[in-house]
Amino acid sequence: NAGVTQTPKFRVLKTGQSMTLLCAQDMNHEYMYWYRQDPGMGLRLIHYSVGEGTTAKGEVPDGYNVSRLKKQNFLLGLESAAPSQTSVYFCASSYSPAGNSYNEQFFGPGTRLTVL
Amino acid sequence: SQQGEEDPQALSIQEGENATMNCSYKTSINNLQWYRQNSGRGLVHLILIRSNEREKHSGRLRVTLDTSKKSSSLLITASRAADTASYFCATDPIIQGAQKLVFGQGTRLTINP
């Protein structure tokens, strides 16, 4: 099993450009998450999904959109990139939701995005 | 706002010594988890401790949880160079409909040979 994969691994954008980050998992997990990681800030939740066709806002959703058309994929979109969105983006998935005692999350390798 | 706060922010020890990291949180939780992140990589789950548990072991890892003090500690015994990484605690708060973990800012651990 590949686990959680993310594409691309690196990307440089100019301000105002758009892009989509793709996350795929092969563990048949129901729950998927997008985080951003910035120095000294830890991980912050952007959006998450509790199942195919459903999405919800996390802690820092502004400037991002997501879609979960297939259970195994979770897409993160930036419609008009800004320098403040320079960050490392991580996707994660879990079998059980928070509130369940076995809800550890499995993370992808990350996407390093720079917005100039 | 961050639910979990790790202490210290950075820790440097000699190989073979024990490393202790602490995590404090603010609200009642279902469970608390510890993750490791090697430089340039994603997070890897290490151990989960439920709110009704006080101590848990996994290999060289020992985790304690004190719900009355809202704190947890991660002990790594007999450290190795390969343990060099950042360690994060993540809490699963008891909030109806939360369905998400809240991560702290991490402790950067360096093991010197």
Side-chain angles (χ1 to χ4, degrees), chain A residues 89-112:
Chain A
Y89 291 86
F90 288 99
C91 176
S93 70
S94 70
Y95 176 71
S96 300
N100 183 291
S101 294
Y102 301 95
N103 61 343
E104 58 264 39
Q105 295 186 5
F106 296 80
F107 282 79
T111 294
R112 187 173 295 275

Side-chain angles (χ1 to χ4, degrees), chain A residues 31 33 35 37 40-45 48 50 58-59 90 97-105 107-109 112, chain B residues 1-2 30-31 33 35 37 40-45 48 50 88 92-93 97-106:
Chain A
Y31 302 85
Y33 309 84
Y35 296 91
Q37 185 177 35
M41 300 290 288
L43 284 171
R44 292 184 291 170
L45 183 66
Y48 64 103
V50 301
E59 182 184 358
F90 288 99
N100 183 291
S101 294
Y102 301 95
N103 61 343
E104 58 264 39
Q105 295 186 5
F107 282 79
R112 187 173 295 275
Chain B
S1 63
Q2 297 292 337
N30 292 303
N31 65 60
Q33 304 177 30
Y35 289 79
Q37 183 181 33
R41 302 286 187 92
L43 279 70
V44 174
H45 181 263
L48 180 154
R50 301 188 192 93
F88 294 86
D92 176 9
Q99 296 175 313
K100 50 188 180 287
L101 300 178
V102 181
F103 287 82
Q105 297 180 10

